[in-house]
Amino acid sequence: CSAGTFGTSGACEECSPGTYSDSQDAAECTTCPAGTSSPDGATELTECTCLPGYTATQDGVECSSCVAGTYKTASGAGSCDSCPSDSTTSGLGRTALSDCTCDTGFTGDP
């Protein structure tokens, strides 16, 4: 089996999303680090990229949830964006500006 696949006795299968295989003749695919995913047939750790709502400085490492008051719409390495002033998110790992809501005592669209 080639990189990006796994199997035994010549029956090879493509690694599923969220896993990778960087060697030939792998018996199983390796799970990506927490907060990341990969495409089908990933062949290296750096194909494991942060999910939306998660942040890291590079691909292929464990990603952390965006903290309250921030969000991240895109996958991959990079920082989370801050909610507009006088607004926040309710929880961690938010993925859209629409997850930002006005702080108590404020009204309107954040």
Side-chain angles (χ1 to χ4, degrees), residues 30-77:
T30 304
T31 302
C32 287
T36 69
S37 191
S38 64
D40 287 332
T43 60
E44 53 190 47
L45 177 59
T46 55
E47 288 185 73
C48 298
T49 60
C50 292
L51 296 165
Y54 289 80
T55 182
T57 57
Q58 63 186 30
D59 293 328
V61 299
E62 184 173 331
C63 299
S64 303
S65 298
C66 293
V67 298
T70 66
Y71 65 96
K72 184 168 166 271
T73 58
S75 60

Side-chain angles (χ1 to χ4, degrees), residues 6-18:
F6 72 101
T8 56
S9 304
C12 302
E13 295 181 50
E14 193 170 65
C15 292
S16 59

